[in-house]
Amino acid sequence: MKTAVLICPGRGTYNKTELGYLRRHFPDPSLLAEFDAQREAMGQESITELDSAARFDISRHTRGDNASALIFAAALGDRMAIDDTAIDIVAVTGNSMGWYTALACGGAVTPQAGFAIANTMGTLMQEARIGEQLIYPFMGDDWRPDPARRTAVLARVTEINRRADHVLALSIDLGGMLVLAGNAAGIAAFEAAVEPVHGRFPIRLANHAAFHTGLQAPVATKGRARFGADLFGQPTLPLIDGRGAIWWPGTCDARALHGYTLGKQVTEPYDFTRAIAVAAREFAPDLFILTGPGNTLGGAVAQSLILADWRGLDGKADFQTRQAETPTLISMGIDAQRKIVTS
């Protein structure tokens, strides 16, 4: 039996090629019906209808109130599809809203409660639409660590944030990428100040708000008003959060877990890079299993392992060679890799 750390993705992972993901992969129709009923009780379109649409619509499928529900269900369904007779999941982590999925996959909340949290927080953020996000790389094409470049980019962020009427901050530390968030003035100032990379970056993220910054404090307050600490319990698996802290089964303070999830997790930077480093160093798994939907987080996981100097990884070519010989990062959004960990 192989050991594995499970990784749950966040926003931006349900795209055109993922349309129909739940229809193809979700293993429990009755649970999916419960999720649909929750949505319908809130006057929302069911995720079954969204997933079964004739075509992918960016304005519809990437909205916070729709995307969060779709991504949570897809990732949870993938967790349920893993062959537990061959794979021993030793810890769970996630990126951004993937933390809500991790809570359910790790047993700290029920699947129904996890869906309610993800769907409600996504809806609250969509209704508030406070600020924007963009993404910018600091690693080169070779994925070799470049701490000086990272420091320079963050120094520019700090300088812009000091300007009158400008808000800009680190939102997510994402492997070789920095996800930044702020108000319109702060985002525009950064775009004007940095050198374009590959003619693509910096890229604004459609339908994303200023997640993981102080701008989201009103959303966090509403979330705490909706969900009490009694919804949280002892996890059945260790959970690695967006600071790299581990919530251990049997010793977890459920009230503190509630406070973090609907407090600092919403309003402070999310360090996905550190979460992966902690997962590698503390649990030394045979595999890192990235649930679907999609595979857009795969590069960030690999880059985070390189930054952690995991097993001496020193760049993209080294990672690709090892991955070809003996895959250690399994992306369930890729059918050929999915078969490795499902029964």
Side-chain angles (χ1 to χ4, degrees):
M1 178 176 284
K2 291 189 174 182
T3 60
V5 167
L6 189 73
I7 305 167
C8 304
R11 290 279 300 278
T13 53
Y14 189 104
N15 298 299
K16 185 176 181 179
T17 55
E18 283 68 58
L19 192 65
Y21 198 91
L22 297 177
R23 182 182 69 251
R24 295 190 298 271
H25 297 306
F26 198 85
D28 187 342
S30 62
L31 181 58
L32 192 61
E34 289 187 61
F35 293 165
D36 283 341
Q38 281 195 34
R39 297 263 303 173
E40 289 163 359
M42 294 176 65
Q44 297 174 311
E45 187 176 13
S46 74
I47 54 173
T48 297
E49 290 175 310
L50 288 165
D51 185 65
S52 302
R55 64 182 181 85
F56 183 80
D57 183 343
I58 290 179
S59 64
R60 177 187 182 195
H61 286 91
T62 67
R63 287 171 53 99
D65 47 354
N66 292 335
S68 296
L70 286 165
I71 293 165
F72 176 95
L76 180 69
D78 279 1
R79 163 58 191 108
M80 295 165 66
I82 291 172
D83 183 0
D84 290 326
T85 66
I87 304 295
D88 178 19
I89 297 176
V90 294
V92 186
T93 190
N95 177 46
S96 191
M97 73 139 283
W99 173 247
Y100 304 141
T101 319
L103 290 171
C105 290
V109 299
T110 65
Q112 295 85 349
F115 182 83
I117 294 168
N119 186 60
T120 298
M121 294 304 289
T123 299
L124 291 173
M125 289 180 181
Q126 178 66 32
E127 291 172 350
R129 288 299 302 272
I130 304 170
E132 302 177 62
Q133 266 186 330
L134 60 73
I135 189 165
Y136 190 72
F138 67 88
M139 271 186 171
D141 291 340
D142 58 4
W143 290 2
R144 292 183 183 275
D146 191 346
R149 178 169 170 77
R150 181 181 183 277
T151 298
V153 173
L154 291 177
R156 176 68 69 178
V157 171
T158 299
E159 183 274 320
I160 291 172
N161 188 58
R162 288 173 177 159
R163 299 179 191 176
D165 302 320
H166 288 63
V167 177
L168 189 66
L170 175 65
S171 174
I172 306 173
D173 209 319
L174 192 64
M177 300 277 189
L178 297 173
V179 181
L180 308 177
N183 63 6
I187 293 289
F190 183 84
E191 290 172 326
V194 297
E195 178 183 351
V197 177
H198 302 314
R200 298 174 56 218
F201 298 100
I203 297 174
R204 293 200 192 198
L205 301 176
N207 279 324
H208 285 218
F211 308 146
H212 310 298
T213 72
L215 291 174
Q216 292 298 312
V219 173
T221 298
K222 289 181 179 179
R224 289 192 297 273
R226 297 281 185 95
F227 300 109
D230 57 344
L231 209 62
F232 294 71
Q234 289 291 327
T236 55
L237 292 168
L239 299 170
I240 307 165
D241 69 23
R243 304 164 300 180
I246 303 173
W247 301 83
W248 294 96
T251 62
C252 176
D253 182 337
R255 187 167 296 278
L257 182 59
H258 164 266
Y260 166 75
T261 298
L262 299 172
K264 291 183 177 181
Q265 190 274 141
V266 180
T267 62
E268 296 186 2
Y270 200 98
D271 197 341
F272 179 74
T273 304
R274 178 166 174 75
I276 294 300
V278 169
R281 292 167 180 164
E282 293 292 329
F283 297 95
D286 300 314
L287 302 172
F288 294 88
I289 300 177
L290 173 60
T291 71
N295 181 45
T296 56
L297 196 60
V301 175
Q303 292 162 0
S304 296
L305 292 172
I306 291 167
L307 287 165
D309 193 28
W310 182 69
R311 297 182 182 174
L313 277 175
D314 68 356
K316 185 176 184 178
D318 188 14
F319 173 79
Q320 290 178 329
T321 298
R322 298 194 202 186
Q323 185 75 355
E325 293 172 352
T326 307
T328 53
L329 173 56
I330 307 299
S331 294
M332 295 185 73
I334 300 174
D335 287 341
Q337 293 186 16
R338 182 183 187 87
K339 295 173 183 177
I340 296 172
V341 297
T342 55
S343 54

